[in-house]
Amino acid sequence: METYLPISFLNDFIFCPYSLYLHQVFDNSSEELYSAAPQQVGKRHHDAIDRQRKQEKSPNVLRGIYVLSERLGIYGKIDSYYPAEQRLVESKYAITTLYKGYYYQLWAQYFALQEMGYRVAQLAFFSIKDRKTHPIALPDAAAFAELQQHIRKIAHYDFEQEFVANPAKCLHCIYASLCDKTNTDHVYA
Ligand code: SF4
């Protein structure tokens, strides 16, 4: 049976590879148990917007649909796709920096949508908090190869190898209070 990586792992792995392992371990727990306050606030805003959007169903936008790429071996949900403009948008609660992991997530959604027969001509991030749109260029062949390389790295990562935690990241990690790699608790505890 084929296995596919969740698109969300592409960004989480860059933040900290070990967080993927902890995500698997605590996946069945209530997120409230380990989430830090900012993540909970962000998620609540995101959920509220999702609920509002579901009530305002529009034929002009596809929201929250599942996408899958056999070429890349990934699956996940997109945020918003506007067929008329062939525009794909990923929303985040508060964008201050466009991290590489954000690009990998949107690139993966883009390639998956294309593979499923949707045309995408524009890509953008949307920052919910300040309502700012951040357009980005479409990924080319080099970007596809880079993304494929990143996915392979995650797929072959050995979670039992020696691992040195980065305390600066642990300080802002939702798993810090449960992680066996650090004694640092997150700043929101
Ligand atoms: S607490 Fe630190 S080492 Fe543990 S998953 Fe988070 S960032 Fe990684």
Side-chain angles (χ1 to χ4, degrees), residues 16-169:
C16 174
Y18 198 65
S19 70
L20 296 191
Y21 169 74
L22 295 178
H23 177 80
Q24 300 299 317
V25 172
F26 296 109
D27 200 28
N28 294 326
S29 306
S30 164
E31 208 173 313
E32 299 281 320
L33 284 179
Y34 58 81
S35 294
Q39 277 86 359
Q40 289 178 16
V41 170
K43 189 171 181 308
R44 276 200 295 274
H45 278 85
H46 220 295
D47 289 349
I49 285 173
D50 273 354
R51 278 196 300 278
Q52 190 185 340
R53 283 167 164 179
K54 273 182 193 143
Q55 285 161 5
E56 313 167 342
K57 274 192 185 145
S58 160
N60 303 323
V61 57
L62 295 176
R63 298 194 198 278
I65 60 166
Y66 273 98
V67 294
L68 182 144
S69 166
E70 288 190 11
R71 279 176 83 200
L72 288 167
I74 47 92
Y75 75 95
K77 269 208 255 183
I78 62 156
D79 185 56
S80 306
Y81 172 68
Y82 300 84
E85 300 99 337
Q86 299 178 346
R87 183 156 54 98
L88 175 63
V89 178
E90 166 70 9
S91 299
K92 304 239 174 244
Y93 174 57
I95 296 178
T96 51
T97 306
L98 289 179
Y99 296 106
K100 195 64 192 229
Y102 290 4
Y103 280 84
Y104 287 158
Q105 281 184 300
L106 196 49
W107 289 355
Q109 294 172 14
Y110 164 81
F111 287 119
L113 267 180
Q114 300 262 65
E115 206 177 304
M116 292 166 67
Y118 293 89
R119 290 213 54 198
V120 183
Q122 302 174 58
L123 293 181
F125 291 100
F126 179 67
S127 177
I128 296 168
K129 192 175 175 188
D130 54 13
R131 306 197 56 76
K132 264 195 185 161
T133 299
H134 303 263
I136 65 163
L138 295 179
D140 56 12
F144 181 85
E146 181 183 332
L147 178 60
Q148 205 167 33
Q149 192 55 34
H150 182 61
I151 292 166
R152 286 186 185 139
K153 198 168 157 190
I154 299 173
H156 294 106
Y157 188 79
D158 176 7
F159 289 100
E160 292 185 1
Q161 72 189 20
E162 195 162 329
F163 179 85
V164 180
N166 176 345
K169 291 197 171 182

Side-chain angles (χ1 to χ4, degrees), residues 15-23 163-184 186:
F15 177 72
C16 174
Y18 198 65
S19 70
L20 296 191
Y21 169 74
L22 295 178
H23 177 80
F163 179 85
V164 180
N166 176 345
K169 291 197 171 182
C170 302
L171 269 177
H172 298 278
C173 176
I174 59 173
Y175 299 112
S177 54
L178 303 165
C179 181
D180 58 315
K181 303 293 183 194
T182 182
N183 292 322
T184 308
H186 53 61

